[in-house]
Amino acid sequence: MTLLEICCYGVDDAVLAEQRGADRIEFCAAPKEGGLTPSFGALKAIRQAVTIPVHPIVRPRGGDFCYRGDEFASMLSDIAMLRDLGFPGLVTGVLTEEGDVDIVRMREIMQAAQGMAVTFHRAFDMCANPLQVFDKLAELGIARILTSGQQSSAVKGLSLITELNARSGVPIIMAGAGVRPDNLETFLHAGIKEVHSSAGRWTASPMRYRNPGLSMSSDASADEYARYGVDGDAVAVMKEMISHHRP
């Protein structure tokens, strides 16, 4: 049966996702950045709040995946913290300036994460040669690759996702980016072993007082009074679709 991973940006969302049928949680901060390393407090809280596997992301900033020395050092420290807290896995990825997987640094990550399942995230979609990178990640012992098939959505990238999925059982190919109830059947029929969805929606902030002349964001168009969270009904629908799917 296809595994359903839900990306959560808060502990309450993770609890809801588990209640509605998620098999695993990717735990992140900063949805508008595409996911950054959560705080220590949030990591401690989620370990106590849910029982399904939680894989936090290790990503020190938004933007590209080619990191300065200090940024990479912080990533190794965060991985040590996750290991000490008892997380079974993590999500990360490092590239070179040429768009290849940074083998040297990924080896350090695998060493730091001993005993944990490592997912190589959508940095894979920014690499120059995905087939070569797949083989290198397999040699490293990466557990899975989260990918949209190097397209803006997993539906558009289904051809590459299917090709990668047929290459080997390890790393597992997990389809992600725009996976929703209305297109989930596409991935189930393609034989994709794992799917990743934010199952998210934006809701209004409960704040009644708002200062219209001031923004805390560098993006002047950003709506700071909107919050991103898990749509429990979407999770439940996807889990039901997976449960009833017959290959």
Side-chain angles (χ1 to χ4, degrees):
M1 185 180 295
T2 300
L3 183 144
L4 176 62
E5 178 178 276
I6 300 298
C7 181
C8 297
Y9 292 92
V11 175
D12 286 352
D13 284 336
V15 171
L16 177 61
E18 179 178 39
Q19 291 173 343
R20 302 309 296 272
D23 298 304
R24 187 175 61 231
I25 301 296
E26 181 193 22
F27 192 44
C28 310
K32 293 180 181 180
E33 294 278 8
L36 301 180
T37 308
S39 73
F40 178 65
L43 291 165
K44 286 183 65 179
I46 199 171
R47 283 289 292 154
Q48 299 171 353
V50 301
T51 60
I52 60 175
V54 176
H55 291 186
I57 194 170
V58 177
R59 185 180 177 215
R61 58 161 171 77
D64 63 54
F65 303 99
C66 182
Y67 297 109
R68 300 189 312 262
D70 63 303
E71 292 172 329
F72 184 65
S74 74
M75 293 172 71
L76 293 179
S77 294
D78 286 338
I79 291 169
M81 174 184 64
L82 297 180
R83 189 184 64 234
D84 291 344
L85 287 171
F87 285 96
L90 61 92
V91 182
T92 195
V94 184
L95 300 179
T96 67
E97 295 176 358
E98 291 75 29
D100 196 1
V101 59
D102 190 327
I103 291 292
V104 173
R105 285 182 164 180
M106 284 306 301
R107 284 198 183 110
E108 290 187 62
I109 285 172
M110 297 302 289
Q111 179 68 26
Q114 280 186 353
M116 303 173 71
V118 177
T119 298
F120 196 89
H121 57 36
R122 291 187 62 212
F124 182 83
D125 292 322
M126 305 300 288
C127 71
N129 191 317
L131 299 182
Q132 287 184 7
V133 167
F134 176 93
D135 291 338
K136 292 177 181 180
L137 293 176
E139 291 176 7
L140 279 171
I142 293 291
R144 67 185 49 79
I145 298 169
L146 170 61
T147 178
S148 64
Q150 297 212 312
Q151 299 297 319
S152 59
S153 72
V155 169
K156 292 180 180 179
L158 185 61
S159 176
L160 177 58
I161 291 171
T162 303
E163 180 181 358
L164 293 167
N165 190 57
R167 286 172 72 90
S168 171
V170 180
I172 295 167
I173 294 299
M174 178 165 57
V179 176
R180 306 287 294 186
D182 61 1
N183 59 32
L184 179 59
E185 285 288 350
T186 300
F187 302 99
L188 299 181
H189 286 300
I192 305 304
K193 302 176 184 70
E194 298 187 1
V195 291
H196 169 99
S197 175
S198 63
R201 62 182 176 184
W202 291 94
T203 57
S205 163
M207 290 195 68
R208 291 185 294 274
Y209 174 75
R210 304 183 180 191
N211 184 344
L214 182 65
S215 173
M216 295 292 106
S217 174
S218 59
D219 179 1
S221 65
D223 182 359
E224 295 176 294
Y225 294 99
R227 300 183 180 185
Y228 194 70
V230 166
D231 181 343
D233 290 342
V235 177
V237 168
M238 287 191 287
K239 184 62 175 182
E240 185 175 5
M241 291 172 66
I242 290 170
S243 298
H244 289 89
H245 177 72
R246 296 293 178 266

